[in-house]
Amino acid sequence: MNIVLIAPPASGKGTQAKMLKDKYNLYHLSTGDLLRNISKDGSELGIKVKSIIDEGKLIDDDLMIEIVKEKIYSIKSNGIIFDGFPRTLNQAIKLDEMLKEINKKIDNVIVLEIDKEIALKRSIGRVACSNCGNIYNIYFDDLKNPLKCNNCNNELIKRNDDTEEKFNLRFDSYVKNSKKLIEYYEKKNIVNFVSSLNDKETVFAEIKNIINRG
Ligand code: AMP
């Protein structure tokens, strides 16, 4: 089972992807996480990737496709949850070609929907644990210590692109690119829309229903 999650920034995409991974034993392929790791390695590529992410822009398609290709050919799992890829129509077409080569396909596309104002609040309040990766919101979550993770007590950090200015750029880029992407998958009849306004368990229950319907 291969699933694509399409969603605006700060809509809970990463959280739902992790829940799906645990429930269905899938490989969680987050291109945002992959790129953030590359950006930390100090290489020339890492420095370039970091500046693009920090500006709230998209990495170019060729590089993105290369990175994903290398990953999906090496993954041995029940299936993959694609979190943050594809983000453009070109990436979606190339992903289908790559999967076809290994006799696989995308079975389900989940589109999370959220209002821009609410996503903005989620973005500027978002912090993640530097150790276990748990994600919190300083406005909505009950943190025992505002700077420490409730789960493992390690430092909570904020993403450089979680500012109002960068959020606006990322949201607008999402609106521009996702339309054609969703239309592409709608022609294949594999798209389902889920409201991301509810709490994460309710959103997840809806996603599970969609997946179990097959
Ligand atoms: P995310 O964690 O999914 O919000 O991604 C963080 C950032 O990584 C994005 O704002 C982009 O700069 C970059 N990125 C992630 N996935 C892609 C992709 N499929 N294509 C281009 N850029 C990407």
Side-chain angles (χ1 to χ4, degrees):
M1 176 169 55
N2 297 300
I3 301 170
V4 167
L5 271 184
I6 300 178
S11 57
K13 174 170 62 74
T15 303
Q16 294 301 322
K18 284 196 187 78
M19 292 166 93
L20 280 166
K21 169 194 171 218
D22 293 342
K23 168 83 187 164
Y24 296 102
N25 206 13
L26 302 172
Y27 184 89
H28 175 197
L29 202 165
S30 157
T31 44
D33 286 350
L34 279 178
L35 292 166
R36 277 185 286 277
N37 280 336
I38 294 173
S39 78
K40 281 186 216 144
D41 71 7
S43 66
E44 206 177 310
L45 176 67
I47 294 165
K48 190 174 148 205
V49 164
K50 183 174 184 320
S51 83
I52 298 172
I53 294 179
D54 287 352
E55 282 172 44
K57 295 187 178 151
L58 290 185
I59 307 297
D60 79 76
D61 278 355
D62 288 346
L63 174 60
M64 227 34 262
I65 289 158
E66 241 357 270
I67 293 173
V68 170
K69 193 172 191 173
E70 201 184 304
K71 261 273 162 278
I72 58 175
Y73 289 166
S74 64
I75 292 169
K76 306 260 174 294
S77 77
N78 263 345
I80 302 175
I81 165 101
F82 290 92
D83 165 3
F85 185 92
R87 256 180 163 93
T88 64
L89 177 60
N90 184 29
Q91 291 180 8
I93 294 168
K94 290 287 167 23
L95 176 60
D96 277 349
E97 289 171 9
M98 290 187 254
L99 290 173
K100 202 169 170 198
E101 275 183 40
I102 47 175
N103 289 323
K104 291 184 178 159
K105 64 175 174 49
I106 298 298
D107 303 291
N108 238 311
V109 176
I110 310 283
V111 181
L112 296 181
E113 297 183 297
I114 189 165
D115 297 333
K116 189 173 178 180
E117 299 71 48
I118 297 171
L120 169 66
K121 263 202 154 168
R122 288 191 184 177
S123 169
I124 56 179
R126 173 162 60 185
V127 285
C129 174
S130 52
N131 177 49
C132 72
N134 266 10
I135 296 168
Y136 303 93
N137 189 291
I138 55 168
Y139 301 120
F140 309 135
D141 291 323
D142 192 10
L143 286 165
K144 286 184 218 146
N145 175 332
L147 301 172
K148 295 276 163 66
C149 175
N150 279 0
N151 181 40
C152 67
N153 216 32
N154 278 284
E155 191 197 358
L156 294 174
I157 44 176
K158 206 171 149 54
R159 281 169 47 167
N160 288 342
D161 58 353
D162 272 334
T163 63
E164 182 161 357
E165 185 202 349
K166 303 293 158 51
F167 168 83
N168 280 324
L169 282 172
R170 285 155 62 220
F171 198 95
D172 295 346
S173 150
Y174 171 79
V175 172
K176 181 170 149 246
N177 289 307
S178 63
K179 197 167 173 282
K180 283 196 183 137
L181 191 57
I182 295 167
E183 279 166 10
Y184 173 77
Y185 286 122
E186 275 183 319
K187 286 192 193 122
K188 297 174 186 283
N189 242 340
I190 51 174
V191 179
N192 286 283
F193 295 87
V194 174
S195 166
S196 187
L197 290 177
N198 292 316
D199 61 275
K200 64 181 182 189
E201 272 77 24
T202 310
V203 175
F204 188 55
E206 207 174 317
I207 295 178
K208 272 191 300 187
N209 278 340
I210 290 166
I211 290 172
N212 295 340
R213 277 203 310 261

